Amino acid sequence: MIDVFAFIIGLAIAFQLITAMLLFILGKNTPFVFLVNKLYEEEPRGIYDRFMNGFYYMFFGMAVVLFRRSTQKHGGIKGRFIFLLEWIGITILLFILVNIPHMF
């Protein structure tokens, strides 16, 4: 059972990283971002909408939110590079966290 949860968490992290790199390369006005944003409902009405919002945040949300925040605060190119630095830091932190059990 733990292997299933580890697989789902690893898949979510992989999707977050892929989404982040696609946002960095393509920007926010692409068909990919429009498709991803269709998964999120501002006002969920039922259990399905709540499930899809959870799916959105688990697989895409963090990358999209960080990208929007950095580009709105710092502008186009500078915001993208700050976004890239954020994700490099997140990736290094993930590598450290994954290797902690192997250190001891």
Side-chain angles (χ1 to χ4, degrees), residues 82-96:
I82 289 173
F83 175 72
L84 179 66
L85 291 175
E86 288 173 351
W87 276 98
I88 289 172
I90 289 170
T91 305
I92 290 171
L93 183 67
L94 285 173
F95 282 135
I96 291 170

Side-chain angles (χ1 to χ4, degrees), residues 8 11-12 15-16 19 35-36 38-41 47-62:
I8 291 172
L11 194 63
F15 270 96
Q16 290 281 350
T19 302
L35 173 70
V36 168
K38 293 285 185 186
L39 296 174
Y40 182 73
E41 290 289 329
I47 196 90
Y48 177 74
D49 289 340
R50 289 188 182 122
F51 174 76
M52 290 309 287
N53 281 353
F55 179 81
Y56 171 80
Y57 280 119
M58 189 164 133
F59 285 98
F60 307 110
M62 193 167 107

Side-chain angles (χ1 to χ4, degrees), residues 26 28-37:
L26 301 174
K28 62 182 177 182
N29 295 325
T30 60
F32 173 74
V33 175
F34 291 130
L35 173 70
V36 168
N37 286 334

Side-chain angles (χ1 to χ4, degrees), residues 5-24:
F5 289 127
F7 178 74
I8 291 172
I9 290 171
L11 194 63
I13 291 170
F15 270 96
Q16 290 281 350
L17 290 171
I18 291 168
T19 302
M21 289 303 110
L22 284 173
L23 284 170
F24 176 73

